Structure formats: structure tokens, C-alpha cells
Amino acid sequence: MSPVTVSRALGQLAAEGLVVTRPGAGAFRAEAHPRTAAAGDTSWQEVTLSAEGGAELVPRSVDASGVLVSLAAPAPGVIEFNGGYLHQSLQPERAMAAALARAGRRPGAWGRPPMEGLPELREWFARSIGGPGGAVTAAEVLITAGGQSALTTALRALAPPGAPVLVESPTYPGMLAIARAAGLRPIPVPVDADGVRPSLLADAFRATGARVFVCQPLFQNPTGAMLAPDRRAEVLRIAREAGAFVVEDDFVRRLVHEDAGPLPRPLAADDPDGVVVHVCSLTKATSPSFRVSALAARGPVLERLRAIQVVDSFFVPRPMQEAALELVGSPAWPRHLRAISAELKTRRDTMTAALRLELPDLSLPHIPSGGYHLWLRLPDGTEESALTSAALRAGVAITPGRPYFSAEPPAGHLRLSFAAVAGAGEITEGVRRLRAAWDEVLQ
């Protein structure tokens, strides 16, 4: 075997405490350590973690199950219809590796970056959010470590613990987890094929006194809906009259499908009054480990966002920011976006055709032209949990719809992702396995 392999093996053994290495002498078996004592009693922590002032006990547990569904790796042989990121074959690994290598050689690449982020990267995000007309400036952009981190910063900045926050229904479970972990109360506002319903949004603001509304106007997760043109200005007007912020989670703009046509601008590009706090990221279009994103806002709220981010994490590591600049400035970047645009359309069409053939009883109300998943309604009376368990036994991991609702759901649903699988063949096989699970549940 090669010296590199030997070196890695010794490093792993040393990390596990099985060998010790002595420079100039060699590697030696480590002395056996006595067994550790029996585990102590940690039951006291249940009281401490739940206590909220005086003798009153208020549950403060954080439920990450809705997030872990799309992060946990499936068992070998299980087809991943519950993934939230591009399959490794779709990730621009060569381009990212080359960008990281070039970034590491830049002068000062390992020094401390500006707290707000590298000026050139802030400028790039500003152009991508506001367009060439300068609707958003670099001074209004903060670089953050992934969309989840940006959403966390935004909600902490905009709403105090105990406050209501309006959310689309259904919506991204990770955002619901953020809100609840911050002590906020998510209040659902229903979404239809054209996005959030403005009349119900106005009603929710009046009824709750909320000062924040979180939405995904483009290819909403999980429905895939796009906010209709006539609703865009209405949503901003309603929020402005309520004295409220709109947190725009623009999470999959770079995962548009080949047949989508021109996309609407972000809401932030049409908002001169600082109503919109915009969140966008490079992660979905690259790799789950390429966690570079941006927050854009104007007015006094920008300083609060900046202060919270600095307190929480200081800054995004400079090598990652430099690598992001190298990546988006390279010829490989537009080629990659074109390639995944075509591939995601192919995968969407493959899954749609397979579902209509194998599972015609499942309702597919909307076929999106962007994003990486389909949202299906189950027939009345179908148990999501039973179908999810049967599917896993059949060798396919799916996502139940219940975690996407902040209140009682109107029906059972499934979200099926077509981005995390190896290709069209695996999609077809996964739907076939799902049909077997469906037949098992109906027996």
C-alpha cells in the first residue's frame, strides 16, 4: 500500500487512542486504559433545562426532527426521496475544489475578514438580489454561514420571545424549529397555488398583532407555489400597513428548471421602505457543506442583524468567502447552473410520470418549475406515519407532511425529493417501492 494510505491509517488509529506515534521512533500500540466508571445520574438536568423562573416549569425543549429528516443519511440500499440537497453527482465538486485551492493562495486568505463579509462578495450578492439597477447595495448585505443561520439571525432580530410570527401553511419545518427555539409562536397563513393568500394574511396581522411574516415567494417549500404577480405588491402593502417585516427566504432561485421561463425579481428588489429582510444562499446549488449565504436589509434593522450575527459567530471564515468568490466568478459556475437546470427538469418529469403510472390515487395539485421536490396529498383517512414506515421497509425514505404544518393539517401529505437520488433510474425504482408500501398500507 502507498505511504499516504499508511499515514492515514496511523492517523485514524491514533485518533481512536489505539496507537501512539513518536517522531523518529515509529508507531506503537497504546497502553490499555482501565474501563471508565459507571455513568452518573443526569436526571437533575430535566428540571434545570425546563425551569423558567421561580417555581413555574415551562417546557423549553427544541424539536429538530423536521430538520433531521432531510439531513440524516439513509441506510445502505434505501432510496433517498427525503433529501434536501443535490446528489453528489450533481454537485460542482471539481469547481468547488479548484475554487477552494485558488482561494487558499490569495494574499490574506487566512486572515480575519470584515465582520459584514468580504466587500466583493457582498457586492455580488447585492447584484444577484437587486439586479443591475442597484435596488440593493453591498452596504445592505451581510454574509452569513448558510440559510438556516441567516433565518435564525433574522427571527431573533425581529421578534422578542413569546411574540407571534406569521408563517405560510404549510412551510419549511426548519423555520418552524427556529421560531420555536427562539420562544416565538408560529401562526399559520394558508398557501394556495398562487402563494400566500393576501386576505388571510391581513386577517392574521389584525388578529395577532404580529410584526413578522416569513415566506418563500419562489418555489415555496413544500408546495412549489410561486407568489402570483398581483399578490406581490399586496403582500408588501399589507405588511407595511401592519408595521411588520417580511422575511423573504429565497432558497432555491438557483435551482430553476429548464422550462421555467423568466423568474420574478425578489421582493427585496421592489421594496424601498425596508419592509423585506431577504435571505439567500449558495448551499442548495452547490453542496450541504458550502455554507455561504447572505442577509439583505435596509434601515435600522440592518445594524441589529449585524450585531446579533457578530455576537453569535463573529464572522464567516474567510477561506469560505474567498472560495465563494472564486466559484461564482469562474466559467464553471454558469455551466453548472445550466446543467442542474436541465437535470432537475428531467428528474421532475420522471418522478411525475412514475407517480401517475404507479400511484394515481395520490393527488399532485401542482408541478413546480423550480426546486427539487413534489408535494402530494393523500386520500382522506390515509395515515402518513403508516405509509412512511411501510415505505422505509420497502427501501425508500419519504417525508411525511405533518411537520410542515404549525397547526392541524387539513389532510395527509407527502413530500418527495428528486434531487438527492442518483438519477432517473433510481427515481423510477423508488416510486415502484413506494407503490409496494402503498399496497401494504391498504391491505
Side-chain angles (χ1 to χ4, degrees), residues 111-125 138-145 292-295 306 309-310 314-318 320-322 325:
R112 183 179 63 193
M115 296 297 176
E116 300 84 356
L118 297 180
E120 301 90 342
L121 188 57
R122 296 169 71 197
E123 178 62 37
W124 184 86
F125 271 113
E140 296 165 339
V141 173
L142 301 174
I143 303 302
T144 58
V292 178
S293 61
L295 268 171
R306 175 184 179 275
Q309 172 166 302
V310 169
F314 290 177
F315 47 78
V316 177
R318 183 162 188 153
M320 286 299 295
Q321 295 192 54
E322 298 280 6
L325 268 176

Side-chain angles (χ1 to χ4, degrees), residues 313-379:
S313 58
F314 290 177
F315 47 78
V316 177
R318 183 162 188 153
M320 286 299 295
Q321 295 192 54
E322 298 280 6
L325 268 176
E326 289 283 354
L327 178 63
V328 300
S330 71
W333 180 241
R335 288 199 302 268
H336 166 65
L337 295 181
R338 287 193 298 269
I340 59 173
S341 176
E343 178 63 20
L344 288 175
K345 176 187 178 297
T346 298
R347 291 173 174 225
R348 179 204 67 194
D349 292 345
T350 300
M351 180 173 277
T352 301
L355 288 169
R356 286 172 172 166
L357 177 65
E358 298 281 359
L359 291 160
D361 292 338
L362 302 188
S363 173
L364 184 57
H366 177 65
I367 300 175
S369 55
Y372 52 90
H373 59 265
L374 299 177
W375 180 245
L376 297 99
R377 177 169 175 151
L378 301 177

Side-chain angles (χ1 to χ4, degrees), residues 13-367:
L13 291 170
E16 294 175 5
L18 299 176
V19 303
V20 292
T21 56
R22 298 169 188 162
F28 302 88
R29 185 175 64 182
E31 292 183 9
H33 293 283
R35 290 184 176 272
T36 57
D41 179 8
T42 61
S43 58
W44 62 271
Q45 294 185 6
E46 296 181 41
V47 175
T48 301
L49 290 174
S50 300
E52 186 70 38
E56 183 181 5
L57 297 183
V58 179
R60 292 194 296 139
S61 60
V62 178
D63 183 6
S65 58
V67 181
L68 292 173
V69 166
S70 62
L71 292 178
V78 174
I79 294 176
E80 190 175 2
F81 277 178
N82 62 341
Y85 297 99
L86 296 178
H87 187 266
Q88 187 175 354
S89 63
L90 297 181
Q91 297 174 18
E93 288 191 343
R94 285 190 176 183
M96 289 189 295
L100 195 58
R102 292 193 300 269
R105 296 192 295 268
R106 283 187 171 195
W110 296 92
R112 183 179 63 193
M115 296 297 176
E116 300 84 356
L118 297 180
E120 301 90 342
L121 188 57
R122 296 169 71 197
E123 178 62 37
W124 184 86
F125 271 113
R127 289 196 306 271
S128 69
I129 298 167
V136 175
T137 68
E140 296 165 339
V141 173
L142 301 174
I143 303 302
T144 58
Q148 189 78 356
S149 173
L151 286 172
T152 300
T153 297
L155 288 186
R156 287 185 57 201
L158 302 177
V165 55
L166 305 187
V167 300
E168 294 173 316
S169 182
T171 192
Y172 165 54
M175 194 279 299
L176 294 177
I178 291 170
R180 289 167 177 149
L184 306 177
R185 296 184 290 114
I187 308 296
V189 183
V191 170
D192 61 21
D194 292 322
V196 69
R197 296 167 59 183
S199 61
L200 296 181
L201 178 64
D203 291 343
F205 272 125
R206 283 193 294 268
T208 65
R211 292 294 180 263
V212 181
F213 169 50
V214 186
C215 65
Q216 296 174 325
L218 189 66
F219 309 132
Q220 197 257 359
N221 183 9
T223 66
M226 189 171 351
L227 188 62
D230 60 331
R231 293 186 180 185
R232 290 167 55 87
E234 188 73 357
V235 166
L236 293 180
R237 181 190 64 78
I238 291 169
R240 180 69 182 84
E241 290 180 355
F245 289 98
V246 174
V247 178
E248 179 184 26
D249 182 11
D250 200 16
F251 73 115
V252 286
R253 181 169 292 270
R254 295 174 182 85
L255 296 187
V256 60
H257 300 170
E258 197 174 40
D259 59 348
L263 298 182
R265 303 199 313 170
L267 294 179
D270 298 322
D271 167 43
D273 300 324
V275 172
V276 177
V277 174
H278 181 91
V279 175
C280 61
S281 174
L282 295 176
T283 304
K284 290 293 186 186
T286 54
S287 159
S289 289
F290 203 85
R291 307 202 64 77
V292 178
S293 61
L295 268 171
R298 55 168 50 100
V301 71
L302 183 63
E303 179 55 34
R304 182 177 294 186
L305 291 165
R306 175 184 179 275
I308 289 178
Q309 172 166 302
V310 169
V311 169
D312 281 351
S313 58
F314 290 177
F315 47 78
V316 177
R318 183 162 188 153
M320 286 299 295
Q321 295 192 54
E322 298 280 6
L325 268 176
E326 289 283 354
L327 178 63
V328 300
S330 71
W333 180 241
R335 288 199 302 268
H336 166 65
L337 295 181
R338 287 193 298 269
I340 59 173
S341 176
E343 178 63 20
L344 288 175
K345 176 187 178 297
T346 298
R347 291 173 174 225
R348 179 204 67 194
D349 292 345
T350 300
M351 180 173 277
T352 301
L355 288 169
R356 286 172 172 166
L357 177 65
E358 298 281 359
L359 291 160
D361 292 338
L362 302 188
S363 173
L364 184 57
H366 177 65
I367 300 175

Side-chain angles (χ1 to χ4, degrees), residues 382-393 437 440-441:
T382 307
E383 291 189 15
E384 287 180 4
S385 57
L387 182 56
T388 303
S389 299
L392 197 56
R393 288 193 296 271
E440 176 188 328
V441 170

Side-chain angles (χ1 to χ4, degrees), residues 5-19 21:
T5 302
V6 174
S7 177
R8 287 178 177 171
L10 287 174
Q12 180 65 33
L13 291 170
E16 294 175 5
L18 299 176
V19 303
T21 56

